[in-house]
Amino acid sequence: ADPSRQVFCSTFARRSYHSRNDATMKPLLIHQGSETRQGLPRAWFGAVAGLTAAVSAECTRRRLGGSRPLCLSVACASSDTLEKPETHRRRTYQHFRLDNGLQVVIASDPTCDKAAAAMSVGVGRLHEPKDMPGLAHFCEHMLFLGTEAFPDEAEYKRFLKGHGGKCNAATGDNRTTYMFDISPDYLAGALDRFSHFFRTPLLSPSATEREINAVDSEHSMRLTDDGRRSYASLLMDANLAHPLHWGSGNANSLRDVPRAQGKDPHQEVVNFYKKNYTSEDMALVILGRESLDELRKMVEERFADVPKTGQRSLRGDEHGGPEPPILPKDFKGLVTRVPTKDTRSVSFSWQMDKWQVPYWASKPAAYAEHFLGHEGEGSLLSALKRAGLATSLSAGLDEFGCFSHFEVHVNLSEEGFNKIKEVGEYVFTYVSLLRESEFQSWAVQEIQGIRQLKFRFADDRQPYDLVTGIANNLQLYPPEKVLSAGILLPSPDPNASKEVLHRLTPDKLRVEWVGKALADRCQDTDPWYHGKYSKNALDPEWTEAWTKAASAASKKAAQEAASAKGMHLNTPNPFIPERLDLLPETEKKTPGPATLECSEIKGLGKVFHHKDHRFLQPKALATFRIHSPYAAEDPGNYLRTQIWCSSVMEELNEHSYDAKIAGLFYDLSPVPGGIEIEVGGFNDKLPVLLDIVTKKLREASTIAPETFRIVQDRFKRGLRNAAEKQRPCDYAGRKNRELLYNLAFPPEERLELLEKLSLDDMNNENARILDSCQIDTLVAGNVQNTHSKEWASNLAKGISPLDTPKKLATKAEAALPPGSTLWRVPGTNKEEKNNCVRLTLQLPATMDSYVFISLFVRILNPKFFESLRTKQQLGYIVQMAPSETENFMTVIAYVQTEYSPDYVRSRIDEFFKTHLEWIDKELEEPEFARQRSGLVSNLAEAPKTLSGEFDRYWHEIILQRYDWSRREKKKAAMEAATLSDFRKFVKDHVANASKLYIEVHNISGSTPKQPKEVDADSIPAPVDRTWDGPDAAHTFRNSASWYSKGSPVRNPYQRTQSSTPPASKL
């Protein structure tokens, strides 16, 4: 911001850099200081001190043949050095380095209701020995298990949970990041515990075996992940002379193989930590209420003695020296792969000659991404759809830890699946058009402008996500650009953009062709996820056709070839906002949305309006709930409503895509009892988008055959995947919903109906949905009440319903039968070897049940995780959570496991038995008060974005409760809770709640893991009733008691009125 300071620093940088000799830098710095120090601001010399290390590192890189551009990170102590969006207006940042080289950003936000911190360590999979893959991931796990100052393994997580916080960590190719958030008053205590991860971790030998098993369980959970299987097929072509390798880790790579080689896994992780975890490679970010001076002091007191080895880790394309991650001859070719889910796709990808991250300022690939990924009229996707070859497309860079590649990914239609040559001809014809046309400078200016708007008016993020993102970005970008570098395009480089286009040729191409029908072609199996694939040379007929398509002799020839296929370059975006001013205050502030009078408009129900006073952005959100009893009558009506909504969006896609990239969005989707329209973004052009959607709703009495084919195909595969390929824990959750909610229509039923659905069946579907409907509306943001009324009225007039329904669809929920129920269901995925056990405890929804169930889960969740995952090692996914609906408050606990479901159920039974007694006899007041304080802190959190605030209001509207102060009432009730009342509630109600166990048994044929010891406690408690198979749900639903808005309602499956209250009526 200070031009004189910039001149001073840049002069020093040039003189230092041109010396090309580290030995001359020290005297140069002394000389510069002795000549000019007098009378100059001290901060200038702080900046120069930071330049010294950066220039030295750059000179070393250049001597080693590195290709990254000079990117000098100035370490200075001046405040607010970060380029930031307007939503960060109340937040002040500061960047500096500690004497040990540790890089720090602190953020002072006096109004924050959550403090947070993250540490990104510049070491990951690429830094571990290739003969022990997963070591970096294993090290991440081990750091959570106690330090010299806090040896109790559970202390860190217990402290965070007790004060409204959470934590996690993630290991990547080049970094490992640890993060947490907490109530602001307890930030110092959390940092005390967190800082010792990087100073005095125990890395306890006794935890070694247990955490290897945890890594193995995590690996087992992801065996059927298609993304990982795709990456595995790429890693099979990795250059053996380069450190690129598979590094997630499992028991074999971390225990069995190393021990067979005479290595001690514990000693290996200790050595890895000591060698690689150095302060010079660490980037710390802390956000809190304290002033910058106070936060800086907190950092210096806790992190100044983080050890420094003097050996920084390699970054990006520094890895491997002159050796590329994948040799060009090995990268190119045809990979055929069998997916886990029912998907059909083809990807065209090219290696970039440089790792692209350092080129954040020019983003050379952004130009190709903008045009190739466009979805408007004349685009590549539009032409592929019209030819019946594709259903969707994406294009852009894929960034890996040490290399980048550009990819065009096409989701194929059934017809397009066997026409890869034709699909490729479209791709290369468009590439040729883009390459031969003059550089579209207007498009670059448009991209710059849109990115500037998105950055300037970016939604604020939760502190947890914000600090994590900044910490990771400090490893990649100059500190002042950590918030902006990934978004903005400050220095476009037309020549570099053209170079990217010239790389997109058939001779450098890798094609990945994915589909279930390729099973016979795929003879190989990757060694980590057991995915079936094959790698061969590209078909010569394909490459010949693609080379011809890519080799237009002139601009005119390229345009003619593209035009013949219905393609041309896109034109300027009409949705870019022109007015960004905040509308004047013309109405009285209210604690929640105001109700507007619009009863004169047929079909218009309640209209709510809320002028934003908090976020102060030129944006608005609007949601219209169109209540239509037709959509909720049966699975067939619901399915046709789904197909119609998706068809409307498909046919609007060419028009709405420009709106999307200009910062607008819309969605049309079925909801229980109707459909919902959402629109949002910059308010200037929002009415234009809403008018386009409204007009289409009434015009869409017929669906184009091509649209129907695309949508039907997409739904078939989506429903088939939902029916057959869900994770066991997700499948158990779905069966629970289908059992207890009357408007939950199973994908199996909808798939069967979809197979019989014809295009003629969809004729006049819009009339069936919209002729009898009622519209409820909420508009919020930079709008005045006249806008809200106008938007709602225009929608109602555009839809023109014939009448308003006499009764809206009833959303009902079933009460579980008294006592305990066990429901056993077989899994659906033959490749999945995990089982799942899910427990639901159900109580009526009251303010008391909300308060005490929330406390119950808050207190027991860390213990549940520690007991069943950390100590007993039953599985990687171990979770307990509360759930609130308008009728019931429930406790949900589940474990995804390779052990027998009955054994795991016995472990869950034993946990609850033991801990119900612990609550009654041993839970102490300080622990109770701490957990209560954490929940109060969470309830006191203000929404961070307009959409977050909107969602709170909309929830009250769809429940027809309209209680804008509901959260404050919950907070007050939580503050008033006492330990004695909590104990009584647990003893009287939780212990006697209706209980449902759902066991999902895998069908893979794998043998369950066996516990080391089996005793009487390994036998699950008897249950009052057992249901076997999915069909049991039908019997229960026909006889269950159903509730809506807390009162009994007619059984949706019978004609008799239910009068039986919930089993645990308070």
Side-chain angles (χ1 to χ4, degrees), residues 654-673:
E654 287 189 1
H655 305 286
S656 64
Y657 183 77
D658 273 330
K660 181 172 73 173
I661 61 177
L664 300 175
F665 73 87
Y666 90 99
D667 184 62
L668 173 66
S669 58
V671 292

Side-chain angles (χ1 to χ4, degrees), residues 278-290:
T278 175
S279 56
E280 303 109 307
D281 279 334
M282 295 183 182
L284 173 68
V285 182
I286 298 176
L287 183 152
R289 285 179 180 168
E290 294 81 358

Side-chain angles (χ1 to χ4, degrees), residues 15 37 135 150 209 281 300 391 414 434 516 522 585 597 605 629 650 686 707 736 794 841 857 914 943 966 994:
R15 292 181 62 180
R37 188 179 190 102
L135 186 58
F150 301 94
E209 189 72 19
D281 279 334
E300 291 171 344
T391 60
E414 188 171 2
L434 194 53
K516 289 285 190 182
C522 298
E585 300 289 346
E597 178 56 48
E650 179 66 32
L686 202 55
T707 299
N736 188 84
N794 287 347
L841 301 176
V857 171
T914 301
R966 178 76 172 176
S994 298

Side-chain angles (χ1 to χ4, degrees), residues 799-988:
I799 289 176
S800 302
L802 300 179
D803 61 60
T804 301
K806 296 182 175 61
K807 184 180 179 182
L808 303 183
T810 299
K811 183 181 177 183
E813 190 176 358
L816 288 172
S820 57
T821 304
L822 169 63
W823 186 17
R824 293 191 180 105
V825 294
T828 59
N829 187 351
K830 294 180 180 180
E831 296 182 83
E832 178 63 71
K833 64 179 183 179
N834 281 285
N835 307 298
C836 182
V837 181
R838 177 190 170 103
L839 168 66
T840 300
L841 301 176
Q842 188 189 68
L843 291 167
T846 66
M847 188 61 78
D848 276 353
S849 65
Y850 168 79
V851 168
F852 293 126
I853 289 298
S854 298
L855 280 163
F856 181 80
V857 171
R858 187 82 184 185
I859 292 168
L860 291 191
N861 183 41
K863 298 179 183 295
F864 187 70
F865 185 91
E866 181 184 4
S867 174
L868 276 73
R869 176 180 158 176
T870 304
K871 292 182 178 178
Q872 298 184 56
Q873 298 279 293
L874 296 181
Y876 183 74
I877 300 179
V878 176
Q879 186 61 266
M880 182 189 294
S883 176
E884 180 188 20
T885 68
E886 58 184 323
N887 301 295
F888 295 102
M889 193 74 201
T890 57
V891 177
I892 299 166
Y894 57 88
V895 179
Q896 185 166 292
T897 180
E898 293 184 58
Y899 287 89
S900 158
D902 282 346
Y903 173 71
V904 173
R905 179 159 56 90
S906 76
R907 301 294 82 216
I908 297 175
D909 282 340
E910 179 63 22
F911 175 87
F912 276 91
K913 176 183 175 183
T914 301
H915 286 82
L916 288 175
E917 294 176 358
W918 174 81
I919 288 172
D920 189 46
K921 298 176 181 178
E922 299 181 44
L923 176 61
E924 297 179 350
E925 181 65 40
E927 171 70 4
F928 175 80
R930 186 164 58 249
Q931 300 292 352
R932 180 184 58 202
S933 174
L935 286 170
V936 169
S937 172
N938 288 346
L939 288 168
E941 283 187 50
K944 301 298 183 293
T945 62
L946 176 62
S947 62
E949 182 179 67
F950 187 97
D951 289 344
R952 291 185 183 183
Y953 293 144
W954 187 245
H955 181 69
E956 291 298 314
I957 292 169
I958 61 175
L959 293 181
Q960 299 178 337
R961 190 166 54 195
Y962 316 117
D963 185 356
W964 315 130
S965 61
R966 178 76 172 176
R967 197 175 182 91
E968 288 73 21
K969 292 174 182 176
K970 287 180 174 181
K971 178 175 172 286
M974 188 68 70
E975 289 172 325
T978 65
L979 177 57
S980 60
D981 287 343
F982 175 63
R983 281 177 168 155
K984 186 176 189 307
F985 181 89
V986 171
K987 187 174 184 178
D988 293 349

